Amino acid sequence: MWLAALINTIIVTLSVLIHYEFLYRATNLLPKVRIKHRFRILSVVFIALIAHVVEIWLFAIAYFLMSKDKAWGEIQGNFDGSFMDSVYFSFSNFTTLGFGDIEPFGSIRFLVGMEALVGFVLITWTASFLYYEMQRYWDAK
């Protein structure tokens, strides 16, 4: 139980730090680039999407490794244990879409629940960040 909590804490912390760094660096880099404001906003959107994909893959790596050891529980349903199935499962959880075709059992469920919460918070953070950037740079024309 303690090991699961520690691993979950590490993965969640890494996800938040990755997201922070992507947004922080976008904030510092883009004003220095000589492009129109609308392209700055588009750049931030793509940077945020890349950040989300990196975070999703981080969770997918954890699912892939944890699914190989039955001590963490199992992932059943339309899941063959491949890395790409882990990525699909992670995308489904991060976006809180949850198709339901894959179901976790055992200690791994805690990480699955945390990913949904983290995904919701980070997607909301991105939306707030983009709104702020649009207000700051949006052309009044």
Side-chain angles (χ1 to χ4, degrees):
M1 175 65 180
W2 290 105
L3 183 59
L6 177 64
I7 289 173
N8 290 330
T9 301
I10 291 169
I11 293 170
V12 167
T13 301
L14 284 173
S15 294
V16 171
L17 290 174
I18 288 168
H19 203 75
Y20 173 82
E21 284 300 317
F22 268 84
L23 295 182
Y24 178 76
R25 294 187 189 279
T27 301
N28 288 333
L29 175 68
L30 288 177
K32 297 174 186 172
V33 178
R34 293 181 171 235
I35 56 176
K36 291 185 178 186
H37 297 307
R38 67 176 55 173
F39 296 120
R40 285 186 188 153
I41 298 300
L42 287 173
S43 299
V44 172
V45 169
F46 285 115
I47 289 168
L49 286 173
I50 292 168
H52 287 296
V53 169
V54 169
E55 295 146 15
I56 288 165
W57 279 62
L58 177 65
F59 279 95
I61 291 168
Y63 295 140
F64 179 71
L65 295 174
M66 291 171 102
S67 71
K68 300 297 179 198
D69 184 358
K70 297 297 182 193
W72 294 107
E74 292 182 289
I75 301 176
Q76 296 179 354
N78 192 18
F79 184 81
D80 65 8
S82 70
F83 182 68
M84 289 314 293
D85 271 2
S86 297
V87 171
Y88 164 77
F89 183 56
S90 185
F91 265 100
S92 176
N93 290 324
F94 191 88
T95 59
T96 68
L97 186 59
F99 286 119
D101 59 338
I102 300 175
E103 188 176 0
F105 294 94
S107 298
I108 201 167
R109 290 184 303 169
F110 185 56
L111 183 60
V112 172
M114 287 301 299
E115 183 181 17
L117 178 61
V118 168
F120 178 73
V121 169
L122 296 183
I123 290 169
T124 304
W125 184 4
T126 299
S128 300
F129 180 80
L130 287 171
Y131 178 78
Y132 174 74
E133 290 295 314
M134 287 171 66
Q135 292 291 68
R136 208 167 101 185
Y137 294 116
W138 205 256
D139 225 353
K141 295 178 185 179

